[in-house]
Amino acid sequence: MPFRILSLDGGGIRGAISAAILSEVEKMIGSPLNQYFDLIAGTSTGSILAAAIAKGLTSENILQLYRNKGQRIFPYSSLISLERLKVIMQYGVSAPKFSARGLIQVLQEELGETKLSEIDKSPRLLITAYDTIDRQFLVFKSWRKFDPWANMPIWEACVCSASAPTFFPAHKLTVKLENGSKTYVVIDGGIGANNPTACAVAEALYLGHYIKDISVLSIGTGMPKLKPEEQTEWARASGWGVFQWIWEGRLIRVLLDASANVNDYITTQFMNPPELEGRTSPPYLRLQPEIGSDRIDDASQENVDRLGRIGREFVAGKRDAIARFIEKSQ
């Protein structure tokens, strides 16, 4: 029996690329995404996409969320901003770039108080995060009704997953246990799996599905293609220290891109096991357009519209591959 996985990368405002790609894919499938896929996995901005889809929002609705509310999440572009004074007063001179207030408000408005455990089994929802206290990778699963965070609202799971270091403060998550409570201090799941595809495939196997029955559509938020002048800048990285690496989130961007690439490699190996050699491999399609600017916090309407065009134009050149994936996933 087919088991279809949709996996969605992190990448801040670049999630608008994924939303635009999904909008076109949804048209090609001919049914709502939450009725087509059996498991939807997301990290960071991908967790927001995944949760919204699981709740029944269309991809076009989500794209408008980025366009109309993105600037409440990323309200300014420069670290030197009068608006940032409140963040500095709260956290000190080494404060993250943004407060989490706008992110939390937008997610509460869009996702309401629906709890993780209230998401039906079809589709299952998987969201990644990382706990800085116990140094452990966290995977929030909607179908695990007895996990300590089962009654957490999905907006909070998304905040945990999207709290990218240097951009947002770590999120304090307190869950009730039988003998008290436990506190986690959680940051972006992209630290371990900015592309959560391998996590989703591992869960499908654990749930008892055979690899030959699993199909995976993995959607990225764009792989930067550096301009010559940018290549020259990065060529000096061998001599960079702390300040240069943290400037404009360079280090976190590199970590997120590396994590996405590693998980793509792992999934490719998963989906092509030796026992299927010479036979038709299960469908795995990775959609990752090349982009110019790789900033994850430029939420201007002009940039969101540009990202949306990148996503739609990318799909235009991949229609045959997407159609083959849909056909093989039946």
Side-chain angles (χ1 to χ4, degrees):
M1 184 175 178
F3 189 82
R4 306 184 189 105
I5 294 172
L6 174 62
S7 176
L8 302 163
D9 284 19
I13 201 65
R14 283 161 37 191
I17 294 175
S18 303
I21 291 173
L22 285 168
S23 180
E24 298 302 311
V25 169
E26 195 167 23
K27 294 173 188 174
M28 294 179 68
I29 290 172
S31 67
L33 296 175
N34 67 334
Q35 295 178 20
Y36 185 80
F37 290 98
D38 300 291
L39 176 94
I40 304 176
T43 294
S44 196
T45 198
S47 75
I48 299 171
L49 281 159
I53 292 168
K55 278 211 68 178
L57 274 70
T58 67
S59 306
E60 201 61 38
N61 291 153
I62 303 167
L63 183 57
Q64 291 308 311
L65 183 159
Y66 284 103
R67 190 176 191 277
N68 298 329
K69 297 187 178 183
Q71 286 183 303
R72 287 172 57 189
I73 300 172
F74 303 110
Y76 42 82
S77 58
S78 174
L79 282 168
I80 306 170
S81 169
L82 288 176
E83 293 179 80
R84 190 167 175 262
L85 283 177
K86 290 182 180 179
V87 185
I88 294 173
M89 290 174 65
Q90 182 176 357
Y91 297 103
V93 293
S94 60
K97 187 172 182 179
F98 304 105
S99 161
R101 188 180 302 108
L103 173 65
I104 291 171
Q105 288 175 348
V106 168
L107 291 177
Q108 287 175 332
E109 290 168 7
E110 296 298 323
L111 301 175
E113 290 300 318
T114 301
K115 293 179 172 59
L116 191 65
S117 60
E118 291 173 346
I119 298 294
D120 293 334
K121 283 189 176 180
S122 185
R124 290 176 167 90
L125 175 64
L126 182 155
I127 291 173
T128 68
Y130 185 84
D131 173 37
T132 63
I133 295 179
D134 291 335
R135 297 291 198 276
Q136 63 174 333
F137 187 64
L138 303 179
V139 183
F140 304 132
K141 309 168 194 177
S142 64
W143 64 96
R144 293 287 294 268
K145 307 302 182 185
F146 299 104
D147 278 353
W149 36 71
N151 290 319
M152 171 175 57
I154 55 175
W155 68 259
E156 189 168 20
C158 292
V159 172
C160 289
S161 187
S163 295
T166 74
F167 287 95
F168 294 107
H171 182 72
K172 185 177 180 180
L173 171 66
T174 301
V175 297
K176 293 181 180 179
L177 303 175
E178 288 184 4
N179 56 349
S181 63
K182 180 174 175 60
T183 295
Y184 302 83
V185 176
V186 190
I187 60 174
D188 198 311
I191 296 301
N194 198 48
N195 167 3
T197 306
C199 300
V201 174
E203 290 297 336
L205 293 172
Y206 183 79
L207 288 167
H209 298 279
Y210 296 106
I211 195 70
K212 64 183 178 62
D213 297 325
I214 298 171
S215 59
V216 182
L217 178 61
S218 174
I219 299 180
T221 59
M223 179 56 66
K225 184 177 181 181
L226 297 181
K227 298 175 183 177
E229 60 272 21
E230 293 172 320
Q231 292 173 350
T232 301
E233 180 184 9
W234 279 91
R236 294 194 291 267
S238 60
W240 284 356
V242 173
F243 178 77
Q244 289 93 339
W245 275 111
I246 64 171
W247 183 252
E248 293 186 337
R250 285 169 174 161
L251 180 59
I252 189 66
R253 282 149 51 199
V254 169
L255 289 174
L256 298 185
D257 286 341
S259 168
N261 291 339
V262 167
N263 280 274
D264 177 40
Y265 170 80
I266 293 170
T267 306
T268 300
Q269 303 309 308
F270 265 161
M271 301 296 284
N272 292 279
E275 61 266 27
L276 292 182
E277 189 173 351
R279 298 165 57 186
T280 302
S281 297
Y284 168 49
L285 180 60
R286 172 77 169 158
L287 299 178
Q288 175 74 302
E290 284 189 346
I291 59 174
S293 170
D294 65 340
R295 281 188 56 190
I296 66 175
D297 61 345
D298 180 0
S300 64
Q301 288 193 357
E302 179 184 15
N303 189 52
V304 173
D305 289 343
R306 179 185 70 87
L307 295 172
R309 287 194 299 272
I310 289 173
R312 295 187 196 281
E313 290 168 4
F314 178 77
V315 170
K318 293 286 184 178
R319 285 195 175 277
D320 289 346
I322 296 170
R324 286 194 299 271
F325 170 84
I326 295 170
E327 181 181 0
K328 291 176 68 177
S329 299
Q330 302 303 321

